[in-house]
Amino acid sequence: MTDKKTSDNTSAENGGAAKTSADEGPIARRHFLLGAGTAVAAGLAPAAPVAAQTPQALPSAPSATEHAFFAAAADTIIPADELSPSGSECGVATFIDRQLAGAYGTGARLYRDGPFPKGKPELGYQLALTPREFFRAGVAAANAWTRKTYGKDFDRLAEKDREAALKAMEEGKAPFPGFTSTMFFNALLQISMEGFFADPIYGGNRHLASWKMIGYPGLPATYREEIRTYFGKKYDKPPHSIADFS
């Protein structure tokens, strides 16, 4: 994983937060997020929002066990600190629930007729599973491994053990049936970043927390007048989401 603040200079530019021992941990206090944030927020195209429905109301929604896993993973990858609330407080688990319950989760835009030979890593996802099936299998495998290793499901582990467990998955050291734990970790990291940086209408980025953190202005596509006004100055207007223009 890369760092949230890719260098000491970047850290200084984002408020000069001091580097602590926690920054050196297996899951490095979400240091990877700042580098990816603006690109994800600007280019993300999630499935259609389902804001009017709760995940539990949808027939293919993640179970309570799966939701608990996603919430614990989000809080481990994106812990609460001086920059933002935790991942679950920002709605990351809700975002994941909704994505997996919708068209993305059923693989509506994926070619799924096979064949499905084992491909090289650079070829990307090559499994016959839908994203919904893949994450369900991954959560089950992760919980089975943490029960064997730590005696508890992932969401019941202490923070340091959750960090160690995710690090083991990232490095492929947790044996998963059917696919590698690295593949699962990478998919979990990707969808967690999407949930943290997507427009709040999709369930994550609650109260625009991540956009405020990185200074992303939000939905408006043109800032001609603002550029004239704020050239060489800090842009201090609040960000705007899709809901602000609906």
Side-chain angles (χ1 to χ4, degrees):
M1 295 171 61
T2 57
D3 282 343
K4 173 174 63 178
K5 300 178 182 67
T6 55
S7 70
D8 290 340
N9 290 336
T10 306
S11 177
E13 293 169 2
N14 287 278
K19 196 170 186 180
T20 67
S21 58
D23 293 324
E24 304 298 335
I27 304 301
R29 301 297 291 180
R30 59 188 167 88
H31 280 189
F32 65 89
L33 287 170
L34 282 182
T38 302
V40 174
L44 180 65
V50 289
Q53 308 177 54
T54 62
Q56 290 73 22
L58 300 170
S60 59
S63 67
T65 297
E66 292 161 348
H67 178 85
F69 178 94
F70 295 138
D75 287 346
T76 308
I77 295 171
I78 310 169
D81 61 13
E82 72 282 0
L83 295 176
S84 80
S86 70
S88 66
E89 291 175 319
C90 290
V92 170
T94 300
F95 172 89
I96 296 174
D97 284 348
R98 292 179 176 181
Q99 292 300 300
L100 295 182
Y104 166 76
T106 60
R109 297 184 180 182
L110 296 179
Y111 176 80
R112 299 185 57 242
D113 289 341
F116 299 99
K118 185 175 181 179
K120 296 180 179 179
E122 59 265 29
L123 296 178
Y125 185 79
Q126 298 291 311
L127 300 179
L129 301 175
T130 65
R132 179 72 191 86
E133 294 166 341
F134 173 77
F135 276 100
R136 169 166 284 177
V139 170
N143 278 335
W145 180 76
T146 58
R147 284 195 300 270
K148 182 178 179 180
T149 306
Y150 300 99
K152 300 177 183 179
D153 280 356
F154 178 82
D155 65 284
R156 297 178 180 272
L157 298 178
E159 181 179 2
K160 64 181 181 62
D161 290 334
R162 293 201 310 267
E163 290 182 351
L166 286 184
K167 185 65 174 178
M169 294 178 208
E170 180 184 20
E171 296 176 347
K173 295 179 179 178
F176 280 22
F179 48 83
T180 66
S181 61
T182 298
M183 182 182 291
F184 174 69
F185 174 85
N186 288 339
L188 178 65
L189 176 61
Q190 177 65 31
I191 201 169
S192 296
M193 286 197 298
E194 291 173 357
F196 190 56
F197 288 111
D199 192 286
I201 200 170
Y202 299 105
N205 191 14
R206 194 171 291 153
H207 306 305
L208 301 163
S210 70
W211 291 2
K212 292 174 183 176
M213 182 183 76
I214 62 175
Y216 180 67
L219 182 64
T222 62
Y223 295 90
R224 181 177 301 172
E225 294 304 318
E226 282 82 353
I227 289 173
R228 293 171 180 165
T229 303
Y230 288 92
F231 186 78
K233 303 176 184 178
K234 180 180 179 180
Y235 185 78
D236 56 5
K237 288 187 177 181
H240 296 285
S241 72
I242 294 172
D244 294 327
F245 297 87
S246 299

